[in-house]
Amino acid sequence: MRSDLTIRLARVRRTVWARHANPWSAWSRWATTPLVLLPVWTRSWPHAAATTTWFALNPVLFPEPADDRAWSTRAILGEKQWIAERPKDLALVVNASAAGASVVAVAAAYRRRPVAAASATGAQMALTLVYWELMTRYLERRQR
Protein backbone atom coordinates (compact mmCIF):
# COMPACT_ATOMS: atom_id res chain seq x y z
CA MET A 1 0.00 0.00 0.00
CA ARG A 2 1.31 3.44 -0.95
CA SER A 3 1.89 5.94 1.81
CA ASP A 4 0.13 9.28 1.94
CA LEU A 5 3.42 11.01 1.19
CA THR A 6 3.96 8.93 -1.94
CA ILE A 7 0.44 9.71 -3.13
CA ARG A 8 0.89 13.43 -2.45
CA LEU A 9 4.23 13.51 -4.25
CA ALA A 10 2.72 11.76 -7.27
CA ARG A 11 -0.10 14.32 -7.31
CA VAL A 12 2.38 17.22 -7.11
CA ARG A 13 4.47 15.70 -9.92
CA ARG A 14 1.37 15.38 -12.13
CA THR A 15 0.38 18.98 -11.39
CA VAL A 16 3.84 20.34 -12.15
CA TRP A 17 4.06 18.47 -15.47
CA ALA A 18 0.53 19.51 -16.44
CA ARG A 19 1.21 23.18 -15.72
CA HIS A 20 4.67 23.12 -17.31
CA ALA A 21 2.99 21.86 -20.50
CA ASN A 22 1.49 25.34 -20.86
CA PRO A 23 3.24 26.96 -23.84
CA TRP A 24 3.97 30.08 -21.77
CA SER A 25 5.89 27.94 -19.28
CA ALA A 26 7.80 25.94 -21.86
CA TRP A 27 8.74 28.89 -24.07
CA SER A 28 9.57 31.30 -21.26
CA ARG A 29 11.81 28.70 -19.66
CA TRP A 30 13.53 28.05 -23.00
CA ALA A 31 13.91 31.77 -23.78
CA THR A 32 15.47 32.49 -20.40
CA THR A 33 18.07 29.72 -20.65
CA PRO A 34 20.89 32.30 -20.84
CA LEU A 35 19.96 33.52 -17.34
CA VAL A 36 21.71 30.44 -15.95
CA LEU A 37 25.01 32.08 -16.89
CA LEU A 38 24.31 35.34 -15.05
CA PRO A 39 25.20 34.26 -11.49
CA VAL A 40 28.25 32.36 -12.77
CA TRP A 41 29.47 35.37 -14.74
CA THR A 42 28.79 37.89 -11.96
CA ARG A 43 29.64 35.52 -9.10
CA SER A 44 26.64 36.94 -7.31
CA TRP A 45 24.61 34.97 -4.75
CA PRO A 46 21.56 37.26 -5.18
CA HIS A 47 21.66 36.57 -8.95
CA ALA A 48 21.93 32.85 -8.21
CA ALA A 49 18.95 33.04 -5.85
CA ALA A 50 16.84 34.96 -8.36
CA THR A 51 17.74 32.64 -11.23
CA THR A 52 17.10 29.52 -9.15
CA THR A 53 13.76 30.93 -8.00
CA TRP A 54 12.70 31.66 -11.58
CA PHE A 55 13.56 28.18 -12.85
CA ALA A 56 11.95 26.53 -9.83
CA LEU A 57 8.71 28.52 -10.07
CA ASN A 58 8.37 28.62 -13.86
CA PRO A 59 6.81 25.15 -14.22
CA VAL A 60 3.97 26.06 -11.85
CA LEU A 61 3.37 29.75 -12.65
CA PHE A 62 1.03 29.05 -15.53
CA PRO A 63 -2.23 27.10 -15.58
CA GLU A 64 -2.67 23.78 -17.34
CA PRO A 65 -3.14 24.31 -21.08
CA ALA A 66 -6.70 24.07 -22.36
CA ASP A 67 -5.64 21.50 -24.97
CA ASP A 68 -2.54 19.86 -26.39
CA ARG A 69 -2.53 21.50 -29.82
CA ALA A 70 0.57 23.62 -29.18
CA TRP A 71 3.84 22.07 -30.31
CA SER A 72 5.54 22.96 -27.02
CA THR A 73 2.71 21.36 -25.05
CA ARG A 74 3.09 18.12 -26.97
CA ALA A 75 6.86 18.30 -26.49
CA ILE A 76 6.53 18.60 -22.71
CA LEU A 77 3.90 15.84 -22.53
CA GLY A 78 6.13 13.63 -24.67
CA GLU A 79 9.08 14.38 -22.41
CA LYS A 80 7.05 13.36 -19.37
CA GLN A 81 6.28 10.01 -20.97
CA TRP A 82 9.81 9.62 -22.32
CA ILE A 83 11.31 10.16 -18.85
CA ALA A 84 8.90 7.63 -17.36
CA GLU A 85 9.78 4.99 -19.97
CA ARG A 86 13.52 5.81 -20.26
CA PRO A 87 14.18 4.56 -23.80
CA LYS A 88 17.73 4.56 -25.10
CA ASP A 89 17.21 6.40 -28.35
CA LEU A 90 18.32 9.44 -30.34
CA ALA A 91 16.55 11.74 -27.89
CA LEU A 92 18.89 10.54 -25.16
CA VAL A 93 21.90 11.51 -27.28
CA VAL A 94 20.41 14.90 -28.12
CA ASN A 95 19.49 15.58 -24.50
CA ALA A 96 22.96 14.55 -23.30
CA SER A 97 24.50 16.80 -25.96
CA ALA A 98 22.37 19.73 -24.77
CA ALA A 99 23.51 19.04 -21.21
CA GLY A 100 27.11 18.93 -22.39
CA ALA A 101 26.66 22.27 -24.16
CA SER A 102 25.27 23.76 -20.95
CA VAL A 103 28.34 22.58 -19.02
CA VAL A 104 30.59 24.20 -21.64
CA ALA A 105 28.51 27.40 -21.42
CA VAL A 106 28.78 27.55 -17.63
CA ALA A 107 32.54 26.89 -17.77
CA ALA A 108 32.94 29.63 -20.39
CA ALA A 109 30.89 32.03 -18.27
CA TYR A 110 33.05 31.23 -15.26
CA ARG A 111 36.14 32.06 -17.34
CA ARG A 112 34.31 35.13 -18.69
CA ARG A 113 34.61 34.07 -22.31
CA PRO A 114 31.54 35.73 -23.86
CA VAL A 115 31.78 34.24 -27.37
CA ALA A 116 32.23 30.69 -26.06
CA ALA A 117 29.46 31.14 -23.47
CA ALA A 118 27.04 32.54 -26.04
CA SER A 119 27.92 29.89 -28.64
CA ALA A 120 27.50 27.02 -26.20
CA THR A 121 24.22 28.48 -24.91
CA GLY A 122 22.98 28.85 -28.48
CA ALA A 123 23.92 25.23 -29.16
CA GLN A 124 22.12 24.13 -26.01
CA MET A 125 18.98 26.04 -26.97
CA ALA A 126 19.05 24.67 -30.54
CA LEU A 127 19.53 21.13 -29.25
CA THR A 128 16.61 21.66 -26.87
CA LEU A 129 14.39 22.45 -29.85
CA VAL A 130 15.58 19.29 -31.61
CA TYR A 131 14.85 17.37 -28.40
CA TRP A 132 11.36 18.89 -28.25
CA GLU A 133 10.70 17.77 -31.80
CA LEU A 134 11.79 14.25 -30.89
CA MET A 135 9.50 14.40 -27.84
CA THR A 136 6.49 15.40 -29.96
CA ARG A 137 7.19 12.47 -32.27
CA TYR A 138 7.61 10.17 -29.26
CA LEU A 139 4.22 11.28 -27.91
CA GLU A 140 2.55 10.81 -31.28
CA ARG A 141 3.93 7.27 -31.59
CA ARG A 142 2.67 6.42 -28.11
CA GLN A 143 -0.78 7.84 -28.81
CA ARG A 144 -1.26 5.69 -31.92
Side-chain angles (χ1 to χ4, degrees), residues 8-24:
R8 276 190 246 135
L9 286 174
R11 194 174 303 135
V12 167
R13 232 183 346 263
R14 276 193 306 275
T15 300
V16 170
W17 276 106
R19 293 175 74 118
H20 183 46
N22 184 308
W24 283 99

Side-chain angles (χ1 to χ4, degrees), residues 26-76:
W27 285 113
S28 63
R29 191 174 176 102
W30 177 84
T32 57
T33 296
L35 282 180
V36 170
L37 303 182
L38 179 65
V40 177
W41 189 278
T42 63
R43 290 151 174 81
S44 165
W45 284 108
H47 289 161
T51 301
T52 299
T53 300
W54 164 248
F55 282 100
L57 290 178
N58 174 276
V60 295
L61 285 177
F62 304 95
E64 289 185 37
D67 55 55
D68 65 354
R69 289 183 302 197
W71 179 71
S72 59
T73 297
R74 293 191 316 278
I76 300 304

Side-chain angles (χ1 to χ4, degrees), residues 96-142:
S97 299
S102 71
V103 169
V104 170
V106 168
Y110 182 78
R111 292 181 182 94
R112 293 195 169 119
R113 307 259 192 255
V115 173
S119 298
T121 301
Q124 176 193 2
M125 293 174 76
L127 287 164
T128 297
L129 295 177
V130 172
Y131 174 73
W132 282 9
E133 177 60 24
L134 293 171
M135 293 300 96
T136 60
R137 293 177 188 180
Y138 186 82
L139 181 68
E140 289 165 5
R141 283 193 307 271
R142 293 295 173 266

